[in-house]
Amino acid sequence: MSNRAVIEAISADEILDSRGNPTVEVTVTLSSGVTASAAVPSGASTGEFEAVELRDRDPGRYGGKGVLSAVKHVNEQIAWALTGTPADDQRLVDEKLIAADGSESKHVLGANAILGASLACARAGAVESGLPLFRYLGGASAHVLPVPMFNVLNGGKHGHQGPDVQEFKLVPLGAPTFREALRYGAETYHALGAVLADAGASTNVGDEGGYVPQLPSNAVAVELILRAIERAGYRPGEDIAIGIDPAASSFYENGHYHLTRDNQVLSSEEMIAYWADWVSRYPLVSLEDPLADNDWKGFAALTRELGDKVQIVGDDLFVTNRKFLQRGIDEHCCNSILIKLNQIGTVTETLDTAELAFSAGYTCLVSHRSGETEDTSIADLAVALGCGQIKSGAPARGERVAKYNRLLAIERMLGKDARFAGREAFHQLQRR
Ligand code: PGA
Ligand code: ZN
């Protein structure tokens, strides 16, 4: 007990994310001399009830997006609160962070300040214990490599000329290993580039590295991706399935869904019928935020209709928050939850939300944000949870592949003990 390492110093810096916007990086130093850092990501299509990311709103710096106030909160209030705390007691660290902020939404110190500190402490605790982060968070049995979902075609708020649907993802669930899944994804990504070029469409990329073509409809994006899967030599649905994230709140206005690319304005019932049609026509295995984040009734109806054929993921709906997830469980909305650390703001609360999801039979999909850094913690988190699924954008661009490359390293580290989640990650696909 006497030589248990405690937090000796904690400090922050303002760095840039992948969109060129400021974000928070936190460094923790322990009494043992161990140091570790973590950087915080940032969303664009954020859920209404996410923990609050503190921005300076000083128009003279970074268009108001500076994070110097969050940095100051780490250097002062958070440092005062955490100094002397055992580094390996993550729950205590996070309780202290929550108490120091004192608000439900973490707007006082800022979720960016709080998550940076929480994650940096977890990293320091792992180093101190001599364990890789996935083992430190997930225990001795963590050995499942997630199916990577590659967002190869971007639209919505991540690609403004693109489809209304924000994300079209390759899901290589038929691959034998993570390494092979990565190859399936990269080859198909390049095949899609060729398919788009042949069709005279743009191969410029969006925030998450996927192409942003101007297409005549949302469905055409799926058709082109299916063509790319075949062109790369894979079988759609068998080797590589498809996942989508319409991020439907971003085109929901006055009670209706406005699909600009399709020239359609749909009611909730019509939107559900639209997705049911896609599920019947395409090898879709994952459908995230198919409705707006206040359309709980719609979510219950959609889950009733499609919940045994496809994974229905709540992202903006649940914002990685136990409270909203519990409501979803009670009202039978979705059968899966997206897990984003910065939506809730601490490592412990994230793990607790995942635990609740598993206990209710929901799957978990660990996720990056559209604004990312080279921090790879989510790769370790996915293996720690053993949830079998991760999305980190296209298999291109440094901040996206950093996570996939970390998973390659974890797979290598695990050697013969590594197991690729594959199709088993999606228990909802019984009737397909
Ligand atoms: P965001 O998008 O990071 O911009 O919120 C990701 C998502 O909607 O899943
Ligand atoms: Zn989403």
Side-chain angles (χ1 to χ4, degrees), residues 45 166-167 245 247 288-289 315-316 338 340 391:
S45 68
Q166 177 180 283
E167 303 173 10
D245 178 4
E288 177 181 329
D289 282 352
D315 169 13
D316 293 347
L338 204 74
K340 288 168 166 167
K391 68 168 189 176

Side-chain angles (χ1 to χ4, degrees), residues 247-260 264-272 275 289-296 298-299:
S249 296
S250 60
F251 51 81
Y252 187 67
E253 235 185 275
N254 300 325
H256 282 83
Y257 295 90
H258 296 255
L259 294 172
T260 314
Q264 290 193 69
V265 177
L266 305 179
S267 67
S268 183
E269 293 74 29
E270 289 166 335
M271 192 74 251
I272 294 169
W275 298 130
D289 282 352
L291 299 169
D293 59 9
N294 56 8
D295 192 357
W296 290 84
F299 265 105

Side-chain angles (χ1 to χ4, degrees), residues 7-31:
I7 295 165
E8 197 168 79
I10 179 159
S11 63
D13 196 4
E14 181 185 62
I15 63 166
L16 286 187
D17 73 11
S18 57
R19 276 193 278 252
N21 292 327
T23 190
V24 178
E25 181 179 55
V26 176
T27 301
V28 169
T29 305
L30 305 185
S31 52

Side-chain angles (χ1 to χ4, degrees), residues 183-259:
R183 182 172 70 85
Y184 286 20
E187 289 173 0
T188 307
Y189 174 71
H190 291 121
L192 179 60
V195 165
L196 290 169
D198 284 356
S202 165
T203 53
N204 289 340
V205 299
D207 285 354
E208 299 188 349
Y211 303 112
V212 187
Q214 276 183 285
L215 302 173
S217 74
N218 288 288
V220 166
V222 183
E223 307 282 352
L224 293 174
I225 289 170
L226 292 173
R227 205 180 301 165
I229 292 171
E230 284 177 341
R231 184 165 173 151
Y234 298 106
R235 296 163 299 170
E238 297 296 315
D239 300 315
I240 304 180
I242 290 179
I244 59 165
D245 178 4
S249 296
S250 60
F251 51 81
Y252 187 67
E253 235 185 275
N254 300 325
H256 282 83
Y257 295 90
H258 296 255
L259 294 172

